Amino acid sequence: MSANTLEEAVALTKKFTSKPSNEELLKLYGLYKQATEGDNNTERPGGFDFVAAAKYNSWSNFSGKSKSEAAEEYIALVNNIAAKYS
């Protein structure tokens, strides 16, 4: 199984039978947000909301990357890890 579009890649992740690592999940999140919304212009979460801060940082890591580049990387990552988690 492999995905050719962002929508197919998202659908493929929903078929995973086990959960990817936190590092992989954060990379998927950051690439998805960059592919669908572009650069992160939101305010960084403060306090002790570590999950929100990690997501913010992951998305920000892809700042400057075009939506199409981020989508291609997201698809490639999903296709790369699909065998491990499907």
Side-chain angles (χ1 to χ4, degrees):
M1 239 193 284
S2 68
N4 295 312
T5 66
L6 184 63
E7 293 78 18
E8 289 176 1
V10 170
L12 187 54
T13 65
K14 294 178 184 197
K15 295 179 182 177
F16 288 176
T17 56
S18 58
K19 185 178 174 183
S21 71
N22 286 339
E23 182 180 320
E24 290 165 328
L25 287 171
L26 284 170
K27 188 169 184 181
L28 286 168
Y29 175 85
L31 284 168
Y32 178 81
K33 293 295 275 186
Q34 188 69 22
T36 57
E37 297 185 33
D39 289 347
N40 185 355
N41 295 316
T42 62
E43 189 172 316
R44 188 178 194 289
F48 293 98
D49 193 346
F50 301 116
V51 172
K55 286 181 170 181
Y56 176 92
N57 291 338
S58 178
W59 182 7
S60 293
N61 285 339
F62 299 105
S63 188
K65 189 176 293 289
S66 74
K67 288 182 177 183
S68 61
E69 286 176 309
E72 287 175 20
E73 284 189 40
Y74 180 90
I75 294 164
L77 178 59
V78 169
N79 286 334
N80 186 39
I81 65 174
K84 188 170 24 169
Y85 299 111
S86 293

